Amino acid sequence: MNFLRRVISPSSRSQFPNRSFKIRQNHYGSIAQPTSSSLVHGIHQFHCPDVVGILAKLSDCIASREGNILSADIFVPDDNHVFYSRSEFLFDPAKWPREQMDADFSNLAKKFNAMKSVVRVPDSDPKYKISILASKQEHCLVDLLHGWQDGRFPIHITSVISNHERGPNTHVIRFLERHGIPYYYLPTTKENKREEEILDIVGDTDFLVLARYMQVLSGDFLKSYKKDIINIHHGLLPSFKGSNPSKQAFDAGVKLIGATTHFVSEELDSGPIIEQLVERVSHRDNLRTFIQKSEDVEKRCLAKAIKSYCELRIFPYEANKTVVFRS
């Protein structure tokens, strides 16, 4: 580890523009393997100004507590002089109690003037509390509900909020009632987006998901909520605007469709992009299969973004970009 950090030190920038490395080894240089059933999985996310020795200190911190590094993703952009890393490691809680772990990583953050240092132990930390906002279209909402039920996401859904009314015998309402998830129907108008009521409902959540919620959240709402909001939309914009964009795109004979997941910002659909997926369509598709493919890519794109967020894979980068370390 020490050797690698010396090789990619700032003096070597001309050879390594936008330094990005994925390391899968322990602090002895071999692939880490669990040696005891008592070992627990941890994740550390780190963002700080770039100086020599960061990776060595991160490695030493984990090794000093007899932890094994499973993987380390590192990115240092050539022009920004900042350091991004995400480490996965195994540790024994008896030898490295959580309080001590938090203190150790906090000391590292202070040493390197970190902008962000987050540690997570997925098996023992509380699940992320989220609320889902959705309108009439249900494909993304239903996929998230089933993904939550199947344990694909480390989340706890505290509520579903919609500006579309659903009857008591619809499959979504039956699912929510069966699992004790409150459903709030808040009809909106141009004059009243019901934002104060939404804020009251979502006040204790960790982040929000807009699963095809066809309302624009105001700047005042974003400033009041203060936490991250993840949005999904189809990739047919800006060419196909207005009502029924899928029909417009199908009639135009497009051959490539897609979806974009991004953080919500005050500028409409212009927040930092988290994930983008594409899907090919052809002359063999009819309107039904075209729409089905479009909805499927939206579901996959949103699920992938939420999974990346919960696994601490996403960093803010520059004014309107993200660093996303892939699995």
Side-chain angles (χ1 to χ4, degrees):
M1 283 292 188
N2 292 342
F3 171 74
L4 175 64
R5 190 60 188 126
R6 288 198 298 271
V7 169
I8 61 174
S9 66
S11 61
S12 304
R13 288 186 187 279
S14 60
Q15 301 177 42
F16 297 96
N18 289 337
R19 307 194 309 276
S20 183
F21 294 85
K22 183 183 288 286
I23 308 158
R24 295 194 177 276
Q25 59 187 37
N26 65 8
H27 52 277
Y28 301 109
S30 60
I31 299 299
Q33 297 293 336
T35 58
S36 168
S37 59
S38 65
L39 295 182
V40 176
H41 175 224
I43 306 170
H44 181 242
Q45 184 188 56
F46 202 58
H47 177 202
C48 67
D50 186 39
V51 295
V52 173
I54 304 171
L55 184 58
K57 289 296 184 182
L58 284 170
S59 178
D60 288 345
C61 175
I62 296 170
S64 68
R65 302 297 182 179
E66 300 186 36
N68 278 339
I69 295 176
L70 294 175
S71 67
D73 291 280
I74 303 140
F75 175 61
V76 181
D78 185 53
D79 55 347
N80 276 4
H81 308 294
V82 289
F83 177 94
Y84 299 88
S85 76
R86 177 186 181 274
S87 306
E88 294 193 35
F89 55 93
L90 291 175
F91 70 100
D92 185 342
K95 297 178 180 178
W96 200 9
R98 183 56 191 276
E99 295 79 9
Q100 184 64 56
M101 179 186 294
D102 289 338
D104 289 344
F105 283 123
S106 178
N107 289 336
L108 272 179
K110 292 175 183 176
K111 177 180 179 63
F112 291 108
N113 297 311
M115 291 79 90
K116 189 170 190 178
S117 177
V118 180
V119 62
R120 182 164 179 80
V121 181
D123 290 343
S124 60
D125 284 357
K127 294 181 179 180
Y128 291 94
K129 292 185 292 184
I130 76 164
S131 183
I132 303 173
L133 282 72
S135 292
K136 185 175 182 179
Q137 289 182 297
E138 296 181 340
H139 55 284
C140 288
L141 170 62
V142 169
D143 186 68
L144 290 181
L145 293 175
H146 288 165
W148 164 79
Q149 183 183 43
D150 295 341
R152 283 189 281 138
F153 310 112
I155 59 175
H156 170 59
I157 302 173
T158 63
S159 64
V160 173
I161 302 169
S162 181
N163 61 332
H164 177 74
E165 188 172 16
R166 288 174 169 83
N169 291 320
T170 57
H171 64 291
V172 168
I173 296 300
R174 290 201 302 269
F175 182 99
L176 297 178
E177 289 178 344
R178 188 162 62 249
H179 294 282
I181 301 173
Y183 180 83
Y184 296 92
Y185 167 50
L186 300 177
T188 60
T189 64
K190 289 183 178 180
E191 295 75 25
N192 185 3
K193 300 288 187 176
R194 312 292 289 272
E195 291 188 343
E196 290 187 4
E197 293 164 82
I198 295 174
L199 284 170
D200 287 340
I201 296 169
V202 305
D204 65 342
T205 55
D206 295 306
F207 66 97
L208 299 182
V209 176
L210 307 187
R212 300 295 284 153
Y213 185 61
M214 307 307 290
Q215 300 292 317
V216 179
L217 298 175
S218 70
D220 289 339
F221 181 94
L222 302 183
K223 292 171 186 173
S224 296
Y225 182 63
K226 297 179 182 178
K227 287 167 275 189
D228 290 324
I229 304 174
I230 296 174
N231 185 38
I232 178 72
H233 61 76
H234 57 70
L236 302 176
L237 295 172
S239 298
F240 306 101
K241 302 177 181 179
S243 61
N244 210 341
S246 293
K247 176 68 163 55
Q248 295 178 50
F250 176 77
D251 291 342
V254 303
K255 297 296 187 257
L256 200 64
I257 58 176
T260 296
T261 311
H262 63 90
F263 290 115
V264 175
S265 63
E266 291 194 37
E267 189 175 352
L268 181 63
D269 290 338
S270 297
I273 293 172
I274 303 169
E275 187 62 67
Q276 290 182 301
L277 296 178
V278 295
E279 179 75 28
R280 287 204 168 272
V281 291
S282 76
H283 58 278
R284 298 185 185 278
D285 283 291
N286 54 39
L287 181 58
R288 179 184 60 80
T289 62
F290 185 99
I291 293 173
Q292 187 176 38
K293 286 183 176 181
S294 180
E295 292 182 348
D296 180 66
V297 75
E298 288 175 18
K299 292 188 293 187
R300 288 188 286 115
C301 190
L302 180 58
K304 193 172 180 65
I306 292 173
K307 189 171 184 292
S308 293
Y309 186 92
C310 293
E311 293 177 352
L312 304 183
R313 297 183 182 277
I314 305 169
F315 296 80
Y317 173 44
E318 295 184 342
N320 201 37
K321 297 181 181 179
T322 56
V323 171
V324 182
F325 289 127
R326 305 298 181 191
S327 57

